[in-house]
Amino acid sequence: MKSNIYSVKKLLFAVLFIFSLGNTIAQDKENQWQYYFNHPASIWEESIPLGNGRIGMMPWGGVDRDRIVLNEISLWAGNKQDSDNPEAYKYLGEIRKLLFEKKNKEAQDLMYKTFTCLGKGSAGIDYGRFENFGNLFVDFHYPDTTSSVTDYRRTLDINNALSVNTFNKGDITYHREYFTSFTDNIGLIKYTSTQNGSLNIDISLQRDDNYETYASGNILYMFGQLKAGVGKEGMRYLGMVKVLNKNGSLSATDKTIKIKDADEVTLIVSMATNYNNTNHEKLAGDLLNKSGNNFDKLKRKHITAYKKLFDRVDLTLAKNQNSDLPIDKRLEAFVKDKTDYDLAALYMQYARYLLISSTREGGLPPNLQGLWAPQIHTPWNGDYHLNINLQMNLWGAEMFNLPELHKPLIEYTKSLVKPGEKTAQVYYNSRGWVTHMLGNIWGFTSPSEDPSWGATNTSGAWLCQHLWEHYMYTQDKEYLRSVYPTMKGAALFFEDMLIEDPNNGYLVTAPTTSPENTYRTSSGETVCISAGSTMDNQIIRELFSNVALASEILNVDKDWIKNLSTKKDKLAPTAIGKHGQIMEWLEDYDEVDVHHRHVSQLYGLHPSNEMTYGKTPLLMEAAKATLNRRGDESTGWSMAWKINFWARLKDGERAYKLIGDLLKPAGEGRGTYPNLFSAHPPMQIDGNFGGSAGIGEMLLQSHEGYIELIPAIPVGWTNGKVRGMKIRGGAEVDFEWVDGKIVSILIRCTATNNFILKIPEGELKVSGITNYKNEKGKIYLPMKKGNKVQITTYR
Ligand code: FUC
């Protein structure tokens, strides 16, 4: 009897609780994601990034001179080249023989002479580089020259993908607004003030190299052609800026457009290149002319299009949302006081904003710079580094509900098949396709000029992980059919290229590296080249497994898969070395730099799922030892990766400590710049994307075949709420926790599937499904596309 009353009470409490929870969720307004500065930018890393996945603008907001750095993602020097060295294969046998005889240094020396690309590789003009498009300068002449500036504010409004800049000078308030339109593919800038006739402005375009500019009527032009190597056609570009004034007058003089005594000035910026044989002159002109001149209408269209993507996910990590401090001061304050939990949420939403702004369907994936760069010679050519950096840029695409933004990377991967087949043939006499560590928009797949970092040949296989992950999240079989040949081609390459190491009987990649790391041999030599590396084994194992799963789903290639599985079983397993660490190479060498930024031997922990507490508890301990040995502080992207590692190791405190390291004001060093760009240094966008993916991993994981909520949150994130994150298997999840305990979960299925949820603490009420079952700490949910399950816990 007593227990019955107790149950009734409990039920009543649950009903009331669900009711009140429903109310809270309904009443909550969306978070206002933004950051601001109270001064103009004095360095590029204080300017505000705007982008629509193709073009970028970074306004500095200077009072006397506004500078807007312009970018277009396809603006690359260089051109297609044949960089495969036809002589290389002749030496493959000898290099391997030396490696198997443990003459690694000799093997490496021979490789430097014979097994590189033709030409200068990344240093060559044919290879090219991503270049800055130019600068738009806007010089202001104020009626009031004596009064100082007050109430200066420069904001990035992340909810609407806009930047707004306001300040007072004397009695006049000046207002500036900027955005890069998602719908009309142009940049928009509008200058207004509270006093009619007060805008006197000179507008001009400039570039640090290869450009001409002139003004005609109300349009400014800038054009030029980049370098491409002997006998090659360099890329051409055209930038146009249309100037519209309300009242006052406009005159064009040579290279400048002058506005006098206007009430309002609107600038429409159009940029195009002839990449892929685009008629760039027509494109730039059409974009400029067809959009119309109605700023407010263009802005409304832009915001609506952006919100379709951005609003899919929201995150609340603190009661007091959205600090009032300017962002540079906020970052400084975070060094001492880590209770600004909302900063991590902002960082995550900012990365979603950056991804939406730096890549778009039908375009290119975000490069090392995203698409923002002020230099002609961008760091590392602003290219696609494929031994982690490009992949890291897309780690959040699926989990943060932006699957369409994964597609440019998928298309880029497919585009490497053809050149990569030639490279596979020329260097390794193998079928299939391969790409090494360097990548550009021209289809470069050869090993680079320097084997110590450029010889990695599992980069294509790593890219194939992304092809598979897109399927895991979407469950779209037609899509899988379309990428299967690419995955199969990557596997074919290794089927041929792997060779038995006579020292241990394993099939190994040879020659290879563990990305960019160097070890000491027993005779004291420092060497980077080896036969077999742990990362290679993990990547190939994963590739072969994913190809096998894909072939089963698509019902193709059964016999071939059997052969592949036999080879998979002969790969060396991940092993533990003398320091209790995960061995990085087949032999237990010590690394020359124990704090090296790459931690490639933990690929199996993240982004892959070879190591989990369920399957490999000992390896999980060894992974911790590895990370402790490496230390936390490193380049931006390396710290970002470590957040993901510790999240997978379910250590929320350590992950949060690394968020602190990543968000440390960079100054000249590593960490984060004032505008929240990640600092390698210099700026490299992968840290933003990788760090935010790490925050995602702290909140929600689905790589072990089941859904786990808040697997690795720090104690400080006591209460929180997530809406719209995605999980493998095809669903969106909303959840809320109070005092560190999950109180509500909503799963919306986007694909018919059997979902498994790790059961949160407390008793559960499940609605929306009847045929579920609870077993061994998991709840099994057979669901159909379109189904919703609401789970509430109470204690
Ligand atoms: C890899 C890293 C470097 C840098 C470069 C762009 O080579 O090892 O740290 O991030 O890419």
Side-chain angles (χ1 to χ4, degrees), residues 74 76 84 134 151 173 178 189 201 207 227 278 337 373 377 387 398 413 429 442 462 481 621 655 659 672 682 747:
S74 69
W76 266 75
D84 290 334
D151 295 329
T173 301
Y178 315 77
I189 302 167
I201 303 177
R207 190 170 190 272
K227 299 186 188 82
T278 304
D337 179 3
H377 198 160
N387 62 8
E398 301 291 338
T413 305
N429 191 24
W442 307 117
W462 188 338
R481 206 179 298 284
E621 293 313 312
I659 292 178
T672 295
I747 305 175

Side-chain angles (χ1 to χ4, degrees), residues 655-668:
Y656 194 57
K657 191 252 169 201
L658 273 144
I659 292 178
D661 294 340
L662 181 65
L663 287 171
K664 224 173 253 173
E668 299 292 308

Side-chain angles (χ1 to χ4, degrees), residues 231-478:
K232 285 188 183 151
E233 182 66 10
M235 189 177 283
R236 293 175 192 273
Y237 68 91
L238 171 64
M240 296 166 82
V241 180
K242 193 197 297 186
V243 182
L244 302 162
N245 55 310
K246 187 171 163 199
N247 296 325
S249 66
L250 176 149
S251 60
T253 56
D254 190 17
K255 297 178 175 154
T256 307
I257 290 182
K258 287 182 184 296
I259 299 290
K260 287 219 162 10
D261 306 329
D263 304 345
E264 253 178 51
V265 179
T266 302
L267 309 183
I268 306 185
V269 185
S270 179
M271 296 179 245
T273 75
N274 71 344
Y275 178 53
N276 271 344
N277 297 322
T278 304
N279 181 340
H280 64 295
E281 290 174 348
K282 181 168 182 323
L283 179 63
D286 284 354
L287 292 175
L288 196 71
N289 295 321
K290 290 192 177 157
S291 56
N293 298 338
N294 186 331
F295 185 90
D296 291 334
K297 190 170 152 207
L298 287 165
K299 182 170 138 187
R300 275 196 302 275
K301 276 163 72 187
H302 159 76
I303 292 174
T304 309
Y306 169 69
K307 281 180 142 335
K308 277 196 187 125
L309 300 179
F310 183 74
D311 285 356
R312 289 174 190 166
V313 173
D314 202 29
L315 164 68
T316 305
L317 282 183
K319 281 192 200 113
N320 302 322
Q321 284 289 299
N322 306 319
S323 154
D324 287 336
L325 287 175
I327 189 65
D328 42 357
K329 298 282 172 284
R330 193 172 172 186
L331 285 171
E332 279 166 26
F334 195 63
V335 174
K336 293 205 193 85
D337 179 3
K338 298 285 186 295
T339 60
D340 180 5
Y341 300 116
D342 186 38
L343 186 58
L346 173 68
Y347 195 80
M348 176 182 131
Q349 288 292 49
Y350 180 61
R352 293 186 64 247
Y353 164 79
L354 290 177
L355 189 64
I356 300 170
S357 306
S358 63
T359 189
R360 61 194 272 147
E361 266 190 276
L364 291 162
N367 60 44
L368 284 168
Q369 302 282 141
L371 56 66
W372 298 278
Q375 314 91 336
I376 297 292
H377 198 160
T378 43
W380 287 285
N381 299 319
D383 67 6
Y384 297 127
H385 273 46
L386 303 175
N387 62 8
I388 184 152
N389 314 87
L390 175 62
Q391 290 92 336
M392 183 179 272
N393 285 356
L394 280 301
W395 280 354
E398 301 291 338
M399 72 160 98
F400 294 143
N401 212 334
L402 298 167
E404 56 275 74
L405 301 184
H406 214 165
K407 287 187 186 160
L409 177 90
I410 293 165
E411 291 306 314
Y412 169 72
T413 305
K414 283 162 95 181
S415 79
L416 297 179
V417 172
K418 209 161 161 249
E421 282 175 346
K422 187 168 151 287
T423 304
Q425 198 61 50
V426 170
Y427 286 83
Y428 306 92
N429 191 24
S430 294
R431 293 167 303 160
W433 69 279
V434 64
T435 192
H436 297 78
M437 182 273 197
L438 277 181
N440 61 12
I441 69 165
W442 307 117
F444 189 92
T445 50
S446 314
S448 83
E449 70 273 22
D450 184 335
S452 74
W453 46 266
T456 305
N457 51 42
T458 37
S459 296
W462 188 338
L463 286 168
C464 283
Q465 188 205 44
H466 286 253
L467 271 47
W468 175 250
E469 286 284 294
H470 185 69
Y471 170 74
M472 286 299 281
Y473 279 87
T474 60
Q475 301 289 305
D476 178 347
K477 273 195 200 160
E478 277 324 297

